[in-house]
Amino acid sequence: MGAGWNLGNSMEAIGPGNETAWGNPVFTQQLINSLKAAGFDTLRIPVAWSAFSNASNFTIDPAWLSRVEQVVNYGLTAGMYVIIIEHWDGGWLNHRFYGNQTSLNNR
């Protein structure tokens, strides 16, 4: 998979601007192409879902899902491997997993 680039935690930033909330730029095809040109073959994208989903049924906001797909496709279009990870997302998966396994599996 070669050398990789981590987009940082921009796709899990919460607040106004979402991916720009922590001062990062909006990701573009041009940015990802420049990473590929610099020799990076793999793109790591940490993503949060909780802030962009319905808390009662865990349905992800279609606009957010579309944006994540768009960023993933930037990497694929550039000929990169793309890794999406559930990084922290408020730590919901880490909270007493075995005691809440059914609820967490549904989520």
Side-chain angles (χ1 to χ4, degrees):
M1 292 175 54
W5 181 272
N6 179 20
L7 283 184
N9 296 344
S10 296
M11 298 300 288
E12 63 181 4
I14 298 167
N18 297 327
E19 73 187 85
T20 62
W22 297 340
N24 291 320
V26 171
F27 300 117
T28 63
Q29 185 68 63
Q30 180 181 7
L31 173 65
I32 304 305
N33 290 348
S34 68
L35 297 173
K36 178 65 175 176
F40 294 98
D41 297 311
T42 303
L43 185 63
R44 177 182 181 266
I45 308 172
V47 179
W49 306 101
S50 294
F52 308 100
S53 63
N54 181 310
S56 65
N57 64 16
F58 311 116
T59 302
I60 300 168
D61 178 349
W64 182 243
L65 195 56
S66 178
R67 178 60 181 150
V68 172
E69 181 180 25
Q70 183 178 39
V71 174
V72 166
N73 285 331
Y74 291 160
L76 297 175
T77 298
M80 301 174 83
Y81 295 99
V82 178
I83 301 168
I84 298 176
I85 67 161
E86 167 70 26
H87 189 214
W88 182 68
D89 203 3
W92 66 268
L93 187 57
N94 301 328
H95 294 286
R96 299 176 295 276
F97 180 79
Y98 295 106
N100 296 302
Q101 188 168 354
T102 300
S103 173
L104 293 174
N105 286 346
N106 289 337
R107 186 172 183 175

